[in-house]
Amino acid sequence: MPLETKLTKALGIRVPVVQGGMQWVGLPKLVAAVSEAGGLGILTALTQPTPDALREAIRETRRMTSKPFGVNLTLLPTINPPPYDKYAQAAVEEGIRIFETAGNNPGPLIKYFKSKGCIVVHKCTTVRHAKSAEKLGVDFLSIDGFECAGHPGEEDIGNFVLLARAAQELKIPYIASGGIADARGLVAALSLGSEGVNMGTRFMATAESEIHENIKEHMVKSKEQDTVHIFRTLHNTARVFKNKVAQEVVAIEKKGDAKFADVAHLVSGVRGKKVYDNGDVDAGIWTAGISVGLIHDIPTCKELLDRIERESEEIIGGLSSRLVTKSKL
């Protein structure tokens, strides 16, 4: 019996699992595979060098699937910001109607997407920020716990408490993000009020993910202890895989009074992309959540989502069997 939630009904998907936007990873082959398997695949807009390149990526994805898929647009703190409005316009003009947004000051983007009849899922790391996004008119919130890859915010709240707080405070539906890689995570998230989950790290280690096979195999061998936070002292915390480069960044920060310029040469996106292209684990910084410790194989997206769907039903059925009827005295 398929799971039905507000997320599956709103997005037209079978399994309440979203493949979150990931720089250099959210490419057409993976996105189409996730959507074909019953989840929601999401293209990462800023992985494409230009808005026109995003148009072509959307068309390429559409050639591989007729199922719904979305586009992620993340507002990054940068001196020379990309033309977010042009990327947004390109995606809308190509017929995309599902968007994942993240970052600071998303109001103008959300307003534009809603004016075009789009569904917006906005990522937040605190209930406070989630309530602000709620006021902006988003349709779903993606609540990022401390376990997540990338930027978990600065409050260090794990998903057990963060999702329970979301259930207390939010008026619109939300999904859970961070630390989820299997059916147990999905069922736990549902029990905490979520309408589904967002998975990133788990989808990196799938057959259709276009990162180098060496990186996938390294992830399978890794444990939940194999990530580390960088930029803690810069108040822009990021969870990344614990490799030589990440540990060098942490060492520089521990010396005190570190500036971004002190580590810029280590954390450049160009170096990070080489990890995925060449398979050298230590070539640069690359993001991974602690759910890497739950990854033990490299399945196709269909195999993964079929397994999550089947095992979720089994877990829910097992939980319901624990309910007993009180005998009448």
Side-chain angles (χ1 to χ4, degrees):
M1 182 182 298
L3 294 170
E4 185 177 82
T5 71
K6 291 177 182 177
L7 185 77
T8 60
K9 289 190 283 186
L11 304 187
I13 59 178
R14 192 187 79 249
V15 187
V17 174
V18 174
Q19 166 253 309
M22 294 174 280
Q23 185 71 335
W24 315 124
V25 181
L27 297 167
K29 183 180 177 181
L30 174 62
V31 172
V34 173
S35 290
E36 276 293 298
L40 183 78
I42 292 186
L43 285 170
T44 306
L46 298 184
T47 289
Q48 304 302 324
T50 65
D52 282 342
L54 175 60
R55 289 181 186 273
E56 181 49 41
I58 292 169
R59 294 169 188 173
E60 182 182 347
T61 306
R62 200 163 273 137
R63 288 193 288 269
M64 291 185 279
T65 184
S66 60
K67 304 286 180 65
F69 64 93
V71 166
N72 164 279
L73 199 50
T74 298
L75 300 162
L76 303 167
T78 178
I79 297 172
N80 299 305
Y84 297 115
D85 57 336
K86 300 298 184 185
Y87 278 97
Q89 182 180 357
V92 169
E93 289 179 353
E94 289 298 321
I96 297 296
R97 291 296 178 268
I98 302 171
F99 287 89
E100 178 188 62
T101 58
N104 295 325
N105 192 28
L109 267 184
I110 292 169
K111 183 178 180 181
Y112 172 70
F113 290 141
K114 294 309 300 176
S115 75
K116 299 298 181 180
C118 301
I119 293 173
V120 178
V121 181
H122 185 69
K123 298 186 80 171
C124 300
T125 60
T126 68
V127 172
R128 181 178 70 259
H129 294 149
K131 292 177 78 171
S132 295
E134 190 175 52
K135 293 175 183 176
L136 293 173
V138 304
D139 300 276
F140 288 87
L141 292 154
S142 182
I143 306 297
D144 261 17
F146 189 56
E147 303 90 338
C148 73
H151 296 282
E154 304 301 318
E155 298 189 3
D156 301 0
I157 308 298
N159 260 332
F160 259 100
V161 171
L162 192 59
L163 295 172
R165 287 287 294 122
Q168 292 175 339
E169 296 284 342
L170 300 180
K171 297 181 177 63
I172 64 172
Y174 57 91
I175 64 175
S177 180
I180 300 160
D182 57 18
R184 293 184 184 89
L186 172 57
V187 174
L190 294 175
S191 73
L192 286 162
S194 301
E195 298 293 334
V197 297
N198 178 306
M199 299 195 312
T201 302
R202 172 67 267 200
F203 280 117
M204 290 172 66
T206 56
E208 295 89 353
S209 166
E210 295 184 74
I211 68 175
H212 200 283
E213 289 301 312
N214 286 352
I215 302 304
K216 298 180 191 180
E217 291 167 7
H218 197 79
M219 293 175 73
V220 169
K221 297 174 185 176
S222 298
K223 305 296 182 185
E224 59 271 25
Q225 295 89 355
D226 290 327
T227 71
V228 67
H229 285 115
I230 61 173
F231 304 156
R232 288 293 255 178
T233 62
L234 303 177
H235 307 292
N236 189 30
T237 300
R239 186 186 294 278
V240 301
F241 193 84
K242 188 192 292 183
N243 62 6
K244 292 178 182 177
V245 183
Q247 290 174 305
E248 188 174 348
V249 173
V250 172
I252 291 171
E253 289 191 72
K254 283 184 177 178
K255 291 178 182 178
D257 298 321
K259 305 291 189 296
F260 181 76
D262 299 327
V263 297
H265 63 292
L266 297 171
V267 302
S268 72
V270 173
R271 288 190 62 168
K273 189 173 186 297
K274 287 181 180 177
V275 173
Y276 299 144
D277 290 346
N278 303 332
D280 181 353
V281 174
D282 293 311
I285 293 293
W286 52 289
T287 59
I290 60 174
S291 62
V292 71
L294 300 171
I295 296 173
H296 306 299
D297 61 357
I298 306 171
T300 66
C301 290
K302 184 178 189 309
E303 289 168 344
L304 175 62
L305 289 183
D306 283 354
R307 181 168 70 204
I308 287 175
E309 186 176 35
R310 181 183 67 254
E311 291 180 356
S312 294
E313 293 171 10
E314 292 171 356
I315 292 168
I316 292 170
L319 289 172
S320 64
S321 69
R322 297 184 183 187
L323 292 172
V324 296
T325 303
K326 290 184 178 180
S327 59
K328 294 181 180 179
L329 297 178

